[in-house]
C-alpha cells in the first residue's frame, strides 16, 4: 500500500536530558508530515487556509516501541485510514533508517476536521475536492469491498 513519506533527522533540541527523543516530538512530526503532503500534493489547500478553511486536529495518538536519539534518520509514512463528511483520519508509521535497514519505532493516528471560519464561529465544511483527490492514492483498502479507501 502506498504511503506519503517524510524524512527527518533528529536534532539535539528534540531530545531530553536523558538523550532520547522527547515523546511529544512524534506528534509534532505528524503535523510536519501532513504539512509537507499539502505542499507537495494539494498546494491549493494552502491558499484556502488563508481564506477561512481550517484543518483542526480533533484526535491524535502515538504508540511508542523503541527510543530515538539525536541524529537518527527516520521516515514518517502517512496513509489515509478514513474520510467521512468533514473528517479525515490518517495513520502514521515511524521507521528508523540505518544502513539499508528499517526498524519500526512507533505508530500513530490523527483525525482532522475540515472547518470554515465565519466571523467568530467555526462551522463544519466538506473536505475540499483537491484534498480528497490528493489523498486517494494513499487510502487504505476497504475491508471486503475491493475498493480503495472510503472515497468511493
Amino acid at each position: 500500500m502506498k504511503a506519503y513519506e517524510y524524512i527527518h533527522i533528529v536534532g539535539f533540541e528534540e531530545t531530553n536530558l536523558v538523550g532520547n527523543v522527547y515523546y511529544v516530538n512524534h506528534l509534532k512530526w505528524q503535523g510536519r508530515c501532513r504539512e509537507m503532503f499539502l505542499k507537495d500534493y494539494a498546494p491549493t489547500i494552502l491558499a484556502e487556509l488563508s481564506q477561512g478553511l481550517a484543518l483542526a486536529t480533533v484526535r491524535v495518538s502515538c504508540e511508542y516501541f523503541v527510543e530515538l536519539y539525536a541524529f537518527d534518520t527516520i521516515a514518517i509514512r502517512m496513509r489515509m485510514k478514513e474520510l467521512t463528511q468533514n473528517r479525515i483520519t490518517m495513520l502514521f508509521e515511524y521507521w528508523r533508517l540505518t544502513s539499508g535497514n528499517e526498524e519500526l519505532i512507533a505508530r500513530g493516528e490523527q483525525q482532522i476536521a475540515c472547518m470554515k471560519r465565519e466571523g467568530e464561529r467555526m462551522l463544519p465544511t466538506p473536505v475540499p475536492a483537491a484534498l480528497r483527490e490528493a489523498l486517494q492514492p494513499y487510502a487504505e483498502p476497504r475491508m471486503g469491498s475491493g475498493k480503495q479507501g472510503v472515497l468511493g
Side-chain angles (χ1 to χ4, degrees), residues 72-116:
D72 279 344
T73 299
I74 56 171
I76 297 108
R77 296 183 181 140
M78 180 181 81
R79 293 178 180 86
M80 183 176 66
K81 177 181 179 182
E82 186 174 43
L83 189 154
T84 56
Q85 298 175 350
N86 75 317
R87 296 195 180 211
I88 305 166
T89 304
M90 306 300 295
L91 300 175
F92 295 85
E93 289 183 340
Y94 304 77
W95 295 86
R96 182 184 353 238
L97 308 177
T98 54
S99 306
N101 294 319
E102 296 185 350
E103 177 184 17
L104 183 62
I105 300 301
R107 281 196 179 104
E109 187 172 305
Q110 185 176 116
Q111 186 176 78
I112 63 167
C114 294
M115 307 293 284
K116 191 76 168 173

Side-chain angles (χ1 to χ4, degrees), residues 118-137:
E118 289 190 11
E120 299 280 321
R121 300 175 56 202
M122 295 280 281
L123 302 172
T125 190
V127 175
L131 184 53
R132 293 172 74 90
E133 291 169 16
L135 287 168
Q136 183 59 49

Side-chain angles (χ1 to χ4, degrees), residues 3 12 14 18-19 21 25 30 35 54 62 92 105 119 145:
F12 285 127
E14 296 169 309
V18 179
V21 168
N25 284 300
Q30 284 184 18
E35 290 168 3
C62 192
F92 295 85
I105 300 301
S145 72

